[in-house]
Structures are given as structure tokens and as C-alpha cells.
Amino acid sequence: MANVAVIGAQWGDEGKGKIVDWLAERADMVVRFQGGHNAGHTLVVGENVYKLSLLPSGIVRGTPSVIGNGVVLDPWALKAEIERLAEQGVHASPETLRVADNCPLILPIHRDLDGLREDASGAGKIGTTRRGIGPAYEDKVGRRAIRVCDLAHLDDLGPQLDRLCAHHDALRAGFGEPPVDRERLLADLREIAAFVLPFAKPVWRDLNEARTGGKRILFEGAQGVLLDIDHGTYPFVTSSNTIAGAAAGGSGLGPSGVGFVLGIAKAYTTRVGSGPFPTELEDETGQRLGERGHEFGTVTGRKRRCGWFDSVLVRQSAAVGGITGIALTKIDVLDGFDEVKICVGYKLGDETLDYYPTHAADQAKVVPVYETMEGWQESTAGARSWADLPAQAIKYIRRIEELIRCPVALVSTSPEREDTILVRDPFAD
Ligand code: GDP
Ligand code: IMO
Ligand code: MG
């Protein structure tokens, strides 16, 4: 099976975009299968920096790209991103980009609701990206969604709009907001339909054709396992399954089509938004990690919280996410530290845990147990082979592999595309 699924093994922003772009050279197709424009994937190619939210990262190399049905699609965000990338010389056309015609849409009313709820939640707020992701997935599961294929049938939308508005009007009234402006919504949809429809296809057919033709499919996950709606730090999660299993349902290829699961993990840990974070460092070391790693959100610009590598969490992600191998990124950010720490377990009261407990209160209470290793003073930045890494950095990577019980397949040593060490080729497995 030559297909590869790339997923985040922490709380997102692990460097998925960089790794997908690197692997895309050898892929025949790149497929997004969940999430939406809450994602922010950064690609650095020489002088050029590309920031992608909705478009699969393969688009930058011109690899045929697919937005699968598991994604929630804001058609206005799609248009804006395509136009922004065109200014950078990257052109997404119906030949290079296909959007599943059964993709549910994110509408302005979803964005409204996301913001209204967050503002009303006080200390309980999730810290979402306010892009309408959660409300759009709710409407999908509630069978109220407007989908891409509906854009070709706007004259028949009446009964669907009745159901959608009955739900939203009640919610909006609770927040003191006026009912949905149906005329305006329809007019906006009519306007955007002409842009989106040329990209719309039953993409499951392309995927199945690619599979039978022996083509290599690269799945690009968004967010990370710890933000997974089932397996993450609920309720401080996103509203989709971010594990590799979602690639099957979110694309229309089936579980046997997924292949090698490459989990992306930073050599330390970051999180943006609210929620528990056992190894978070609110001291100078945390600040140093943030500064060296330029830890600011790609989408919202928010400062990311930083801490040591948590092997308990990544081991759990590898298990529940079905991860075959890890790409360890940003090892260069740890250059110059006298010592580096790895969380190897938790204390919860008198108990020692080798897993992350399920309840949010316990998750917030656990105290990490650290193992301290000697750091390295040499630079790993830009290293492209194992031999270029200092002995202590190799020791650190090997210890991580041992603790997470999963081999390291790739190591990333800078934002730049080619600064990547291949240890085990995911496509060759
Ligand atoms: P994604 O959401 O998982 O695609 O990750 P983001 O793009 O949101 O955040 C990762 C950031 O780290 C981006 O700015 C990347 O350019 C950068 N990056 C990726 N790999 C490396 C690396 O190995 N070293 C350093 N220093 N930066 C990296
Ligand atoms: P990429 O693909 C990091 C976080 C938000 C918030 C929570 C829910 O770039 O790794 P949502 O808007 O999805 O309802 O927000 O999830 N979040 C991310 N954090 N990287 C992301 O994507 C994220 N997408 C959502 O900050 O805590
Ligand atoms: Mg990101």
C-alpha cells in the first residue's frame, strides 16, 4: 500500500504542511479529509512562504489536490485563499483542485454562532478559531447542512432552508440576534456558486480510480490527535475526528486505502486556545521555546503556549491515531539548551499514571514526571542527514522513539522544504 496519511500527533501546528509539501513531490494526489479553514499550514520554499488553510498543501507543487467530503468548506474562504495564492504564483484550477460535491458548507450564520457562543461562555470558552467549524459540523450531523452540490440547485433550497433557519433562528433569538436573513443568504450563495461549482465533483470516483491505477495518494490531516473530538482533551477540542481513520470516511476511499500513517510531532509541545497542557512552561524556558520556534498561530496570530515534549501524550496519540511512524519536527528549536526534559509519566495525587486520564478535571490536575537529558550546543538547523546531527540530539530522538513506542521516519530541522532527514520512507512501506 503506497498511500500515506499525515496527521498531527499533538495539539496541531506540528509542521504537517511542511512535511506534506515535502512528500507531495512523490505523490500523485493530496487529499484534505477533515477540518476546514481553522487549519493553518505553513510551507517555506526558498524565499517564498505559503500559508494554507483550506487548500491541500500539494497545490503549491502543482500536485492534483482534493478537498474531501469530511472537510467543512467556507466557499468565501476558498475563493479568498485561491486568489491570495494566485498572487504568489500558485494557481488552483478545476484541473488541479477538486472539491467533493457532498462537502457541507460553512455559512456566515455558523461564524456568527461560533463567536456568539465563545463570547457568552466566560471561563468555559474553548478558544476556537471562530471560523464556524463547530456549528457547521453540528448542522451536518443534524442533517441541516447546505452542501456543495446544493449550489447547483438553489431554486429548490426552500425546504432545506426552512429546516436550517428554524434551528438557527431559535438559537439566534436566545442570543438576542435577529433571525437569519434568508434572502441575503440565498443571494450570497448564488453569487459564490459560480465560483465553486467548476471545482465540484464526486471525488470518491477520482480516488478510487487513482487507487486502482496504482497511484500514490497523500492524505493531509488538520489539527492533531489531542484535538480529536473523541480522543482529544474534550471539550477543548475541534469538532472533527483528526485520527487517520477519518481519512477513509472523509474522502470516500475506505479504510484499506489509508496505508502508512505518519504522525507529526514537534520535539517539544505547543497548544493554542484553552484546555489542559501538563508540560506547559510559563517561565523563561517556555518563552525561549516560543521565541526560538516563532510560536504564533498561522490563522489567528495568537501566541502559542509552549512546554517540554510529553511522551505520554504522543504515545497515546500514536496508539489511538493508528500511527505507523513519526516525523519529529523543530528539533533545531532545542539547540543550545543546557538540558532538555521529556515527560515520562504523570502523578495524580498518590497515583502514577502512564496514560492521560479522560476527565478534564484530572487532565488539568496531573503533574508531569520528567526525565532530564543533557542538551547540545551544536546547531542542528538545516541538517539534511543523520550524520549531521550532534550525538546528544540523536540520543534525544532515540529516547523519544523508545518512550512513544513508535519509530521516527523523518526529522525536520528548519522550516525550509529540503531541510528534512529521511530515516524511513513512508511511501516505500
Ligand atoms: P501545521 O499546522 O502542522 O502545518 O504547522 P504550522 O505551519 O501551523 O506551524 C509550524 C511552524 O513551524 C511553521 O511556521 C513552519 O514553517 C515551522 N516549521 C516546520 N518545521 C520546522 C522545523 O523543523 N524547524 C523550525 N524551526 N520550524 C519549522
Ligand atoms: P492546524 O491544522 C492548532 C484549536 C483552536 C481551539 C480548538 C477548537 O494548523 O494544526 P475550532 O475553531 O476548530 O473549533 O477550535 O482547536 N485548533 C487548532 N490548534 N492548530 C490547528 O490547525 C487548529 N485548528 C483548531 O485553537 O483550541
Ligand atoms: Mg497550523
Side-chain angles (χ1 to χ4, degrees), residues 297-315:
T298 313
V299 170
T300 56
R302 288 179 292 177
K303 200 167 167 191
R304 296 173 183 152
R305 301 151 66 193
C306 296
W308 294 119
F309 187 85
D310 189 332
S311 72
V312 183
L313 284 181
V314 177
R315 182 167 66 232

